[in-house]
Amino acid sequence: MKAEANIEQISRRLRPSLVAYFLRRVRSHAEAEDLTQDVLLRLTQLDLAELRTADAYVFRIAANLLADRARRNFIRSRFASDQAATEGFGVDGLSPYRVATGRRSLATLAKRLEDLPEKTRTIFILHRIENINKRALADALGVTTKTIENHVGRAMAYLMLFREDGE
Amino acid sequence: MSTNPSPVEYTAAEAAGVWCMRLSEGPLHGEDQAAFDRWLDADERHRAAFEEAVTTWREFDGAESEPEFLSLRLEALQTLRRSTRLPRMRLSPRWAAAAAVVVIAIGGAGVWLGSLPTIYETGVGERHVVMLKDGSKVSLDADTRVEVKYSDNRRALRLDRGRAKFDVAKDPLRPFSVAAADKTVVATGTEFSVELLRQDVHVILYEGHVAVLGPMSIAHVAQPLHLASNGAVPADQLLTPGHELVAPQATAAATVALTDPARTLAWEGGQQVFVDEPLASAVERIDRYSDRKVSIGDPAAGRILITGVFMDGDTRAFIEGVTAVFPVRAESQNGQTVLTSAPREN
């Protein structure tokens, strides 16, 4: 895989994982969102062209931010050590390692996509693989952004269905 | 954004998918952020659904370079192209970014780029299979660069370095040609590989027939290569399936010999198989797979014929194997391993 020179691409790929990662450890979505933005901001300071894959760095930064936050919280209130911040570190459900092992093959996913109605499949591929955002897609296809969301939501639900079967 | 996925309209999984999509496009603000929190808290199953959605999202990482996705992507991009009315297209910065993505993606599938060649490149240790617009398939070995330029009446490719195998879709009206150094291989519907190795061009034919042409003459006509042993016989006449043609640069002569198709295709399966291979060309091939470079210290070492099977990227095993069996010594110099000839110890 070529190095991703574009922070935009990395963000598209990893933002939802990062939000989920932080949501497991902090109380509010607002805080998870702030931490996610912080990670992506730090990523812009790295020379991305030198990274073969950004994933490991992204989750390393995320873990460090959590550790910093836990330290600050500890100083603020001695007794409330934030277990959540450090537990499961390194074997987190969304660490690159877990994703690599629990992952279905891309060939399997391609087959699943073929089951979908053409329009749903097309919109999902353009959004997820070609990285075209929903506003641009809606403009190009002459539909509302709501329609784009409906199709992506349906495609995602269908693909998740097969995950549960332990395929 | 005024509309939010609500439990009434969406199943938990669909809503999770939509939230995942929204989060991928950037931070949620204001009402959206509050709505996301409400949705997460509304039902304990929502959190699990969200985790599932995020995992599913990540499963598509790297899909853009998978051969399985090429036809799906091509289809989706063609649909996009058909439904986009160019004259009325708004050129907002957002759209321009999307358009740039589309052009790159289309380039990735080898389509419609008019006069601009599309370049496919692999780094050290990488391999890549590209499906071209006409159904032809190009399989790139490590450290290889291929330029593809399609027009209405020709399919012109150039191998700049490395090795690639070509499965050519039949299209007699559009000849398929691969240029390498000053040689050109022309095919109509066939399977062959071209490799640049130590300034020589190697062509192996697996199926069908190809013509191999030398440099352009003064009259701008490329002449078929002739046999080194007999100047009157065109070399490609002997190049039948299962044979390999080797043409040094800057001459119009070539040699043709029988080869083992399974052995020569081992690189596609991640192995290097050498049978009586000069050490110099074995080293050049091994170097395609690792940043730990090996070089040849003296010409005598380069001429030693070696035999062995090695896994790609396992340079250490290659060095150990070669030095154990053949009269070669390995030394580290400036982060490189240099192989020099050594008298056999008795």
Side-chain angles (χ1 to χ4, degrees), chain A residues 37-100:
Chain A
Q37 280 309 100
D38 206 348
V39 171
L40 294 171
L41 184 73
R42 279 161 205 243
L43 209 56
T44 59
Q45 290 151 9
L46 290 171
D47 184 1
L48 291 176
E50 298 218 324
L51 299 185
R52 247 183 109 65
T53 158
D55 300 26
Y57 287 84
V58 169
F59 284 92
R60 166 63 55 191
I61 296 169
N64 289 344
L65 281 179
L66 276 175
D68 286 351
R69 179 179 167 280
R71 263 194 298 280
R72 277 198 312 275
N73 287 353
F74 182 70
I75 293 162
R76 259 205 307 271
S77 59
R78 299 244 154 182
F79 53 88
S81 94
D82 197 336
Q83 276 292 320
T86 45
E87 86 188 10
F89 165 65
V91 287
D92 184 78
L94 285 154
S95 70
Y97 174 74
R98 157 77 188 280
V99 167

Side-chain angles (χ1 to χ4, degrees), chain A residues 86-152:
Chain A
T86 45
E87 86 188 10
F89 165 65
V91 287
D92 184 78
L94 285 154
S95 70
Y97 174 74
R98 157 77 188 280
V99 167
T101 53
R103 191 172 162 163
R104 288 172 286 184
S105 75
L106 285 164
T108 305
L109 292 170
K111 277 200 205 76
R112 289 289 147 259
L113 282 179
E114 279 168 20
D115 300 339
L116 292 169
E118 197 203 329
K119 192 161 188 186
T120 304
R121 174 174 67 234
T122 300
I123 289 173
F124 180 79
I125 290 171
L126 291 174
H127 179 68
R128 175 63 184 95
I129 301 176
E130 308 302 336
N131 280 326
I132 303 175
N133 70 42
K134 69 178 167 209
R135 178 79 256 164
L137 262 185
D139 287 354
L141 299 174
V143 298
T144 62
T145 54
K146 180 77 183 160
T147 302
I148 301 291
E149 289 192 337
N150 290 347
H151 283 288
V152 173

Side-chain angles (χ1 to χ4, degrees), chain B residues 270-290:
Chain B
Q271 283 182 337
Q272 294 292 329
V273 184
F274 302 123
V275 177
D276 291 338
E277 184 88 17
L279 185 59
S281 52
V283 160
E284 189 171 326
R285 283 174 172 152
I286 286 290
D287 276 349
R288 286 183 189 147
Y289 297 94
S290 171

